[in-house]
Amino acid sequence: QVQLVESGGGLVQPGGSLRLSCAASVSIFSIYAMGWYRQAPGKERELVATISSGSRIDYADSVKGRFTISSEHAKNTVYLQMNSLKPEDTAVYYCNAVYRYANFWGRGTQVTVSS
């Protein structure tokens, strides 16, 4: 089992920045891949960014050049730096971990981009 706790969401104006954090209950060295997904009202959950144990990184086209995923092994934490935020980035952001062939999810953190 892996517990994931997200933090860092909030309300920000268009063009602003936020950094999300996801703290894992196990060493992220033992996790195959971690990522961020988001779900806007009335829409399906979608991939935002992932980082694998081999340091491969992937982004959704809609966030390339604006968002950056990174990891800090000493803190068992993965971050999502979000810059140049747009109203369409408004969603609940979920942390995901693939660990021992199973998917684990955090409870989510709300990000609202509005003036």
Side-chain angles (χ1 to χ4, degrees):
Q1 290 285 336
V2 178
Q3 280 75 50
L4 303 170
V5 179
E6 303 103 331
S7 60
L11 173 64
V12 64
Q13 291 186 342
S17 298
L18 282 174
R19 189 178 78 158
L20 305 183
S21 300
C22 172
S25 61
V26 300
S27 170
I28 60 175
F29 279 115
S30 64
I31 296 175
Y32 173 73
M34 293 187 71
W36 290 94
Y37 291 71
R38 67 186 181 188
Q39 187 167 17
K43 295 187 177 182
E44 294 186 354
R45 191 172 297 188
E46 62 176 3
L47 170 72
V48 176
T50 60
I51 183 167
S52 72
S53 58
S55 298
R56 172 175 172 162
I57 292 176
D58 292 296
Y59 295 101
D61 287 343
S62 59
V63 306
K64 283 181 180 177
R66 300 189 297 124
F67 291 10
T68 302
I69 189 170
S70 62
S71 59
E72 186 172 358
H73 290 84
K75 294 186 177 181
N76 294 326
T77 298
V78 171
Y79 303 99
L80 185 69
Q81 178 67 44
M82 305 186 294
N83 299 328
S84 302
L85 282 161
K86 304 175 181 180
E88 51 264 43
D89 294 318
T90 295
V92 178
Y93 283 70
Y94 296 92
C95 182
N96 169 267
V98 179
Y99 176 73
R100 296 183 179 178
Y101 305 106
N103 268 296
F104 297 89
W105 295 92
R107 299 180 70 174
T109 184
Q110 176 70 46
V111 172
T112 302
V113 184
S114 175
S115 56

